[in-house]
PDB file of all heavy atoms in Angstrom:
ATOM      1  N   ASN A1119     -11.186  -6.953  26.057  1.00  0.00           N
ATOM      2  CA  ASN A1119     -11.138  -7.609  27.367  1.00  0.00           C
ATOM      3  C   ASN A1119     -11.604  -6.704  28.487  1.00  0.00           C
ATOM      4  O   ASN A1119     -11.126  -5.576  28.625  1.00  0.00           O
ATOM      5  CB  ASN A1119      -9.699  -8.040  27.683  1.00  0.00           C
ATOM      6  CG  ASN A1119      -9.331  -9.321  26.966  1.00  0.00           C
ATOM      7  OD1 ASN A1119     -10.121  -9.830  26.169  1.00  0.00           O
ATOM      8  ND2 ASN A1119      -8.148  -9.847  27.249  1.00  0.00           N
ATOM      9  N   ASN A1120     -12.560  -7.221  29.277  1.00  0.00           N
ATOM     10  CA  ASN A1120     -12.966  -6.525  30.492  1.00  0.00           C
ATOM     11  C   ASN A1120     -13.564  -5.151  30.293  1.00  0.00           C
ATOM     12  O   ASN A1120     -13.592  -4.344  31.212  1.00  0.00           O
ATOM     13  CB  ASN A1120     -11.741  -6.349  31.408  1.00  0.00           C
ATOM     14  CG  ASN A1120     -11.883  -7.242  32.602  1.00  0.00           C
ATOM     15  OD1 ASN A1120     -13.009  -7.386  33.114  1.00  0.00           O
ATOM     16  ND2 ASN A1120     -10.804  -7.852  33.021  1.00  0.00           N
ATOM     17  N   ASN A1121     -14.013  -4.885  29.055  1.00  0.00           N
ATOM     18  CA  ASN A1121     -14.572  -3.572  28.751  1.00  0.00           C
ATOM     19  C   ASN A1121     -15.974  -3.458  29.320  1.00  0.00           C
ATOM     20  O   ASN A1121     -16.766  -4.359  29.194  1.00  0.00           O
ATOM     21  CB  ASN A1121     -14.634  -3.428  27.236  1.00  0.00           C
ATOM     22  CG  ASN A1121     -13.981  -2.169  26.779  1.00  0.00           C
ATOM     23  OD1 ASN A1121     -13.382  -1.459  27.577  1.00  0.00           O
ATOM     24  ND2 ASN A1121     -14.089  -1.881  25.520  1.00  0.00           N
ATOM     25  N   LYS A1122     -16.282  -2.296  29.892  1.00  0.00           N
ATOM     26  CA  LYS A1122     -17.620  -2.074  30.438  1.00  0.00           C
ATOM     27  C   LYS A1122     -18.496  -1.418  29.377  1.00  0.00           C
ATOM     28  O   LYS A1122     -18.128  -0.404  28.784  1.00  0.00           O
ATOM     29  CB  LYS A1122     -17.506  -1.171  31.664  1.00  0.00           C
ATOM     30  CG  LYS A1122     -18.815  -0.723  32.285  1.00  0.00           C
ATOM     31  CD  LYS A1122     -19.191  -1.598  33.472  1.00  0.00           C
ATOM     32  CE  LYS A1122     -20.536  -1.190  34.109  1.00  0.00           C
ATOM     33  NZ  LYS A1122     -21.705  -1.575  33.352  1.00  0.00           N
ATOM     34  N   LEU A1123     -19.659  -2.027  29.107  1.00  0.00           N
ATOM     35  CA  LEU A1123     -20.574  -1.469  28.098  1.00  0.00           C
ATOM     36  C   LEU A1123     -21.253  -0.201  28.608  1.00  0.00           C
ATOM     37  O   LEU A1123     -21.479  -0.050  29.800  1.00  0.00           O
ATOM     38  CB  LEU A1123     -21.675  -2.480  27.758  1.00  0.00           C
ATOM     39  CG  LEU A1123     -21.275  -3.847  27.219  1.00  0.00           C
ATOM     40  CD1 LEU A1123     -22.530  -4.637  26.868  1.00  0.00           C
ATOM     41  CD2 LEU A1123     -20.380  -3.700  25.999  1.00  0.00           C
ATOM     42  N   ASN A1124     -21.590   0.671  27.699  1.00  0.00           N
ATOM     43  CA  ASN A1124     -22.430   1.835  28.012  1.00  0.00           C
ATOM     44  C   ASN A1124     -23.874   1.504  27.663  1.00  0.00           C
ATOM     45  O   ASN A1124     -24.136   0.565  26.923  1.00  0.00           O
ATOM     46  CB  ASN A1124     -21.958   3.037  27.200  1.00  0.00           C
ATOM     47  CG  ASN A1124     -20.708   3.648  27.788  1.00  0.00           C
ATOM     48  OD1 ASN A1124     -20.586   3.799  29.002  1.00  0.00           O
ATOM     49  ND2 ASN A1124     -19.751   3.978  26.927  1.00  0.00           N
ATOM     50  N   PRO A1125     -24.822   2.295  28.199  1.00  0.00           N
ATOM     51  CA  PRO A1125     -26.235   2.047  27.859  1.00  0.00           C
ATOM     52  C   PRO A1125     -26.444   2.084  26.348  1.00  0.00           C
ATOM     53  O   PRO A1125     -25.821   2.891  25.650  1.00  0.00           O
ATOM     54  CB  PRO A1125     -26.972   3.214  28.522  1.00  0.00           C
ATOM     55  CG  PRO A1125     -26.051   3.709  29.573  1.00  0.00           C
ATOM     56  CD  PRO A1125     -24.658   3.418  29.114  1.00  0.00           C
ATOM     57  N   THR A1126     -27.288   1.203  25.864  1.00  0.00           N
ATOM     58  CA  THR A1126     -27.497   1.115  24.416  1.00  0.00           C
ATOM     59  C   THR A1126     -28.893   1.592  24.043  1.00  0.00           C
ATOM     60  O   THR A1126     -29.736   1.809  24.899  1.00  0.00           O
ATOM     61  CB  THR A1126     -27.347  -0.339  23.935  1.00  0.00           C
ATOM     62  OG1 THR A1126     -28.332  -1.121  24.596  1.00  0.00           O
ATOM     63  CG2 THR A1126     -25.976  -0.876  24.228  1.00  0.00           C
ATOM     64  N   GLU A1127     -29.097   1.773  22.774  1.00  0.00           N
ATOM     65  CA  GLU A1127     -30.422   2.112  22.249  1.00  0.00           C
ATOM     66  C   GLU A1127     -30.572   1.388  20.916  1.00  0.00           C
ATOM     67  O   GLU A1127     -29.596   0.846  20.401  1.00  0.00           O
ATOM     68  CB  GLU A1127     -30.537   3.625  22.062  1.00  0.00           C
ATOM     69  CG  GLU A1127     -29.411   4.167  21.199  1.00  0.00           C
ATOM     70  CD  GLU A1127     -29.424   5.678  21.029  1.00  0.00           C
ATOM     71  OE1 GLU A1127     -30.068   6.147  20.087  1.00  0.00           O
ATOM     72  OE2 GLU A1127     -28.760   6.370  21.839  1.00  0.00           O
ATOM     73  N   ILE A1128     -31.792   1.398  20.365  1.00  0.00           N
ATOM     74  CA  ILE A1128     -32.014   0.750  19.076  1.00  0.00           C
ATOM     75  C   ILE A1128     -31.218   1.510  17.998  1.00  0.00           C
ATOM     76  O   ILE A1128     -31.286   2.727  17.910  1.00  0.00           O
ATOM     77  CB  ILE A1128     -33.520   0.746  18.715  1.00  0.00           C
ATOM     78  CG1 ILE A1128     -34.291  -0.108  19.723  1.00  0.00           C
ATOM     79  CG2 ILE A1128     -33.754   0.252  17.292  1.00  0.00           C
ATOM     80  CD1 ILE A1128     -34.008  -1.597  19.647  1.00  0.00           C
ATOM     81  N   LEU A1129     -30.461   0.765  17.188  1.00  0.00           N
ATOM     82  CA  LEU A1129     -29.572   1.392  16.215  1.00  0.00           C
ATOM     83  C   LEU A1129     -30.334   1.879  14.980  1.00  0.00           C
ATOM     84  O   LEU A1129     -30.173   2.999  14.532  1.00  0.00           O
ATOM     85  CB  LEU A1129     -28.508   0.362  15.811  1.00  0.00           C
ATOM     86  CG  LEU A1129     -27.169   0.867  15.319  1.00  0.00           C
ATOM     87  CD1 LEU A1129     -26.563   1.891  16.248  1.00  0.00           C
ATOM     88  CD2 LEU A1129     -26.217  -0.316  15.135  1.00  0.00           C
ATOM     89  N   TYR A1130     -31.168   1.012  14.417  1.00  0.00           N
ATOM     90  CA  TYR A1130     -31.953   1.372  13.227  1.00  0.00           C
ATOM     91  C   TYR A1130     -33.390   0.933  13.433  1.00  0.00           C
ATOM     92  O   TYR A1130     -33.627  -0.203  13.827  1.00  0.00           O
ATOM     93  CB  TYR A1130     -31.397   0.688  11.968  1.00  0.00           C
ATOM     94  CG  TYR A1130     -29.980   1.064  11.653  1.00  0.00           C
ATOM     95  CD1 TYR A1130     -28.934   0.202  11.968  1.00  0.00           C
ATOM     96  CD2 TYR A1130     -29.678   2.284  11.045  1.00  0.00           C
ATOM     97  CE1 TYR A1130     -27.620   0.559  11.693  1.00  0.00           C
ATOM     98  CE2 TYR A1130     -28.370   2.633  10.768  1.00  0.00           C
ATOM     99  CZ  TYR A1130     -27.355   1.770  11.095  1.00  0.00           C
ATOM    100  OH  TYR A1130     -26.053   2.114  10.816  1.00  0.00           O
ATOM    101  N   GLN A1131     -34.319   1.846  13.148  1.00  0.00           N
ATOM    102  CA  GLN A1131     -35.743   1.511  13.264  1.00  0.00           C
ATOM    103  C   GLN A1131     -36.192   0.761  12.019  1.00  0.00           C
ATOM    104  O   GLN A1131     -35.830   1.141  10.900  1.00  0.00           O
ATOM    105  CB  GLN A1131     -36.578   2.794  13.384  1.00  0.00           C
ATOM    106  CG  GLN A1131     -36.360   3.581  14.672  1.00  0.00           C
ATOM    107  CD  GLN A1131     -36.836   2.840  15.917  1.00  0.00           C
ATOM    108  OE1 GLN A1131     -37.638   1.900  15.827  1.00  0.00           O
ATOM    109  NE2 GLN A1131     -36.344   3.253  17.081  1.00  0.00           N
ATOM    110  N   ARG A1132     -36.973  -0.284  12.241  1.00  0.00           N
ATOM    111  CA  ARG A1132     -37.535  -1.027  11.101  1.00  0.00           C
ATOM    112  C   ARG A1132     -38.462  -0.114  10.301  1.00  0.00           C
ATOM    113  O   ARG A1132     -39.215   0.674  10.870  1.00  0.00           O
ATOM    114  CB  ARG A1132     -38.286  -2.249  11.658  1.00  0.00           C
ATOM    115  CG  ARG A1132     -39.287  -2.874  10.729  1.00  0.00           C
ATOM    116  CD  ARG A1132     -39.649  -4.282  11.178  1.00  0.00           C
ATOM    117  NE  ARG A1132     -38.641  -5.231  10.699  1.00  0.00           N
ATOM    118  CZ  ARG A1132     -38.539  -5.637   9.432  1.00  0.00           C
ATOM    119  NH1 ARG A1132     -39.370  -5.184   8.524  1.00  0.00           N
ATOM    120  NH2 ARG A1132     -37.616  -6.490   9.061  1.00  0.00           N
ATOM    121  N   LEU A1133     -38.383  -0.207   8.975  1.00  0.00           N
ATOM    122  CA  LEU A1133     -39.213   0.642   8.113  1.00  0.00           C
ATOM    123  C   LEU A1133     -40.421  -0.151   7.635  1.00  0.00           C
ATOM    124  O   LEU A1133     -40.280  -1.304   7.212  1.00  0.00           O
ATOM    125  CB  LEU A1133     -38.397   1.119   6.902  1.00  0.00           C
ATOM    126  CG  LEU A1133     -37.100   1.878   7.213  1.00  0.00           C
ATOM    127  CD1 LEU A1133     -36.326   2.148   5.916  1.00  0.00           C
ATOM    128  CD2 LEU A1133     -37.376   3.193   7.941  1.00  0.00           C
ATOM    129  N   ASP A1134     -41.587   0.471   7.694  1.00  0.00           N
ATOM    130  CA  ASP A1134     -42.789  -0.181   7.195  1.00  0.00           C
ATOM    131  C   ASP A1134     -42.878   0.059   5.690  1.00  0.00           C
ATOM    132  O   ASP A1134     -42.934   1.201   5.229  1.00  0.00           O
ATOM    133  CB  ASP A1134     -44.019   0.376   7.899  1.00  0.00           C
ATOM    134  CG  ASP A1134     -45.288  -0.238   7.324  1.00  0.00           C
ATOM    135  OD1 ASP A1134     -45.505  -1.437   7.549  1.00  0.00           O
ATOM    136  OD2 ASP A1134     -46.022   0.483   6.608  1.00  0.00           O
ATOM    137  N   LEU A1135     -42.889  -1.035   4.937  1.00  0.00           N
ATOM    138  CA  LEU A1135     -42.775  -0.936   3.483  1.00  0.00           C
ATOM    139  C   LEU A1135     -43.827  -0.009   2.873  1.00  0.00           C
ATOM    140  O   LEU A1135     -43.504   0.903   2.121  1.00  0.00           O
ATOM    141  CB  LEU A1135     -42.828  -2.333   2.852  1.00  0.00           C
ATOM    142  CG  LEU A1135     -42.582  -2.393   1.344  1.00  0.00           C
ATOM    143  CD1 LEU A1135     -41.193  -1.910   0.973  1.00  0.00           C
ATOM    144  CD2 LEU A1135     -42.784  -3.817   0.811  1.00  0.00           C
ATOM    145  N   ASN A1136     -45.085  -0.221   3.239  1.00  0.00           N
ATOM    146  CA  ASN A1136     -46.151   0.568   2.598  1.00  0.00           C
ATOM    147  C   ASN A1136     -46.095   2.051   2.947  1.00  0.00           C
ATOM    148  O   ASN A1136     -46.214   2.911   2.075  1.00  0.00           O
ATOM    149  CB  ASN A1136     -47.520  -0.007   2.954  1.00  0.00           C
ATOM    150  CG  ASN A1136     -47.709  -1.359   2.271  1.00  0.00           C
ATOM    151  OD1 ASN A1136     -47.173  -1.579   1.176  1.00  0.00           O
ATOM    152  ND2 ASN A1136     -48.418  -2.250   2.927  1.00  0.00           N
ATOM    153  N   THR A1137     -45.871   2.337   4.220  1.00  0.00           N
ATOM    154  CA  THR A1137     -45.769   3.742   4.632  1.00  0.00           C
ATOM    155  C   THR A1137     -44.631   4.430   3.888  1.00  0.00           C
ATOM    156  O   THR A1137     -44.770   5.553   3.398  1.00  0.00           O
ATOM    157  CB  THR A1137     -45.458   3.830   6.149  1.00  0.00           C
ATOM    158  OG1 THR A1137     -46.288   2.886   6.823  1.00  0.00           O
ATOM    159  CG2 THR A1137     -45.684   5.214   6.692  1.00  0.00           C
ATOM    160  N   GLU A1138     -43.512   3.730   3.806  1.00  0.00           N
ATOM    161  CA  GLU A1138     -42.336   4.357   3.208  1.00  0.00           C
ATOM    162  C   GLU A1138     -42.454   4.478   1.693  1.00  0.00           C
ATOM    163  O   GLU A1138     -41.984   5.446   1.112  1.00  0.00           O
ATOM    164  CB  GLU A1138     -41.067   3.598   3.595  1.00  0.00           C
ATOM    165  CG  GLU A1138     -40.817   3.520   5.101  1.00  0.00           C
ATOM    166  CD  GLU A1138     -40.974   4.846   5.824  1.00  0.00           C
ATOM    167  OE1 GLU A1138     -40.609   5.898   5.250  1.00  0.00           O
ATOM    168  OE2 GLU A1138     -41.498   4.847   6.955  1.00  0.00           O
ATOM    169  N   LEU A1139     -43.099   3.501   1.066  1.00  0.00           N
ATOM    170  CA  LEU A1139     -43.312   3.619  -0.378  1.00  0.00           C
ATOM    171  C   LEU A1139     -44.144   4.849  -0.670  1.00  0.00           C
ATOM    172  O   LEU A1139     -43.882   5.593  -1.616  1.00  0.00           O
ATOM    173  CB  LEU A1139     -44.015   2.373  -0.926  1.00  0.00           C
ATOM    174  CG  LEU A1139     -43.159   1.118  -1.053  1.00  0.00           C
ATOM    175  CD1 LEU A1139     -43.971  -0.021  -1.646  1.00  0.00           C
ATOM    176  CD2 LEU A1139     -41.917   1.388  -1.904  1.00  0.00           C
ATOM    177  N   GLU A1140     -45.131   5.072   0.167  1.00  0.00           N
ATOM    178  CA  GLU A1140     -45.984   6.244   0.000  1.00  0.00           C
ATOM    179  C   GLU A1140     -45.162   7.531   0.143  1.00  0.00           C
ATOM    180  O   GLU A1140     -45.276   8.435  -0.666  1.00  0.00           O
ATOM    181  CB  GLU A1140     -47.068   6.225   1.079  1.00  0.00           C
ATOM    182  CG  GLU A1140     -48.468   6.443   0.553  1.00  0.00           C
ATOM    183  CD  GLU A1140     -49.472   6.109   1.639  1.00  0.00           C
ATOM    184  OE1 GLU A1140     -49.751   7.006   2.458  1.00  0.00           O
ATOM    185  OE2 GLU A1140     -49.923   4.948   1.689  1.00  0.00           O
TER     186      GLU A1140
END
Side-chain angles (χ1 to χ4, degrees):
N1119 281 5
N1120 250 322
N1121 232 6
K1122 174 97 181 75
L1123 301 184
N1124 283 318
T1126 61
E1127 54 183 271
I1128 295 291
L1129 206 50
Y1130 299 102
Q1131 293 294 341
R1132 161 162 277 285
L1133 303 174
D1134 176 69
L1135 186 62
N1136 290 329
T1137 316
E1138 301 313 324
L1139 285 182
E1140 229 168 85

